[in-house]
Amino acid sequence: MKELEDRIVQDGVAKAGNVLKVDAFLNHQCDVELFDHMGAEWARLFAGERIDKILTIEASGIGIACVAARHFGNVPVVFAKKAQSVNLDGEQYSTTIYSFTKKKEYPVIVCKRFLSASERVLIIDDFLANGCALEGLIEIVESAGAEVAGIGIAIEKGYQGGGDKLRERGYRVESLARISSMNDETGAITFA
Ligand code: 5GP
């Protein structure tokens, strides 16, 4: 998606440790018009797929998933929580994932009443690097007996390999911008 690639070049910052900072438009300050165009693009890519629900993970997935849902017939958006809370009641699906940016493991929790067998779920997230976050979300969808209809990603860092591993397992992963290299010294970012 050229608009997203141009925005990454304009406002993204390649940081040491393979981290792309996109807080000016994606995961701190949010450009809602861009989110709307991203939602339209995922809807175009997944046209013809029955999508009953969108699943994402807090925090940065929530905004893009909610705007995307407007392009998928206003299906419900469920976001996985990263910590236990008194507000999480009833039975839960949970797993543990390793955070690429925080360098630590954390829980991923979804209440059982928000995912049902027979539902076709579109997973949406802001970044795909090694694929740990998605593997956790896939595990939760499948333990509910639901089906992963597809995976929509804003920015995939292709050279970290998570996307290709998931594609090899048969999942349809659609990334709107696929970065093939990033240099934190020159600031250069190239796309696949
Ligand atoms: P993975 O689990 O695929 O290794 O990493 C995906 C998660 O880590 C995303 O949900 C995102 O929050 C975070 N992440 C991975 N790489 C980056 C990055 O380069 N920049 C930012 N801002 N977040 C990232």
Side-chain angles (χ1 to χ4, degrees), residues 33-60:
E33 190 180 21
L34 174 65
F35 287 11
D36 187 52
H37 297 168
M38 289 161 52
E41 182 61 6
W42 281 316
R44 189 186 69 77
L45 290 163
F46 289 106
E49 295 283 351
R50 194 189 96 216
I51 306 289
D52 302 311
K53 193 163 273 183
I54 293 176
L55 176 67
T56 188
I57 183 162
E58 64 178 353
S60 302

Side-chain angles (χ1 to χ4, degrees), residues 18-23 27 57 60 82 97-102 106 125-134 157 159-160 162 182:
N18 255 331
V19 173
L20 176 65
K21 216 165 164 235
V22 287
D23 56 355
N27 53 25
I57 183 162
S60 302
K82 288 181 179 168
I97 63 185
Y98 179 79
S99 166
F100 175 78
T101 44
K102 299 191 176 70
Y106 58 88
D125 203 7
D126 58 343
F127 271 93
L128 169 53
N130 298 315
C132 302
L134 285 177
K157 291 181 290 175
Y159 56 90
Q160 287 185 254
M182 222 165 62

Side-chain angles (χ1 to χ4, degrees), residues 18-97:
N18 255 331
V19 173
L20 176 65
K21 216 165 164 235
V22 287
D23 56 355
F25 59 96
L26 189 62
N27 53 25
H28 195 1
Q29 175 169 263
C30 301
D31 182 335
V32 179
E33 190 180 21
L34 174 65
F35 287 11
D36 187 52
H37 297 168
M38 289 161 52
E41 182 61 6
W42 281 316
R44 189 186 69 77
L45 290 163
F46 289 106
E49 295 283 351
R50 194 189 96 216
I51 306 289
D52 302 311
K53 193 163 273 183
I54 293 176
L55 176 67
T56 188
I57 183 162
E58 64 178 353
S60 302
I62 300 173
I64 53 176
C66 287
V67 177
R70 303 285 289 161
H71 294 272
F72 285 88
N74 295 317
V75 293
V77 174
V78 176
F79 65 90
K81 304 225 180 191
K82 288 181 179 168
Q84 276 295 348
S85 126
V86 287
N87 284 322
L88 270 168
D89 51 6
E91 287 191 79
Q92 301 161 358
Y93 299 108
S94 73
T95 187
T96 301
I97 63 185

Side-chain angles (χ1 to χ4, degrees), residues 120-141:
R120 286 177 48 82
V121 178
L122 175 66
I123 298 177
I124 282 190
D125 203 7
D126 58 343
F127 271 93
L128 169 53
N130 298 315
C132 302
L134 285 177
E135 277 171 25
L137 293 176
I138 290 169
E139 186 186 324
I140 283 179
V141 170

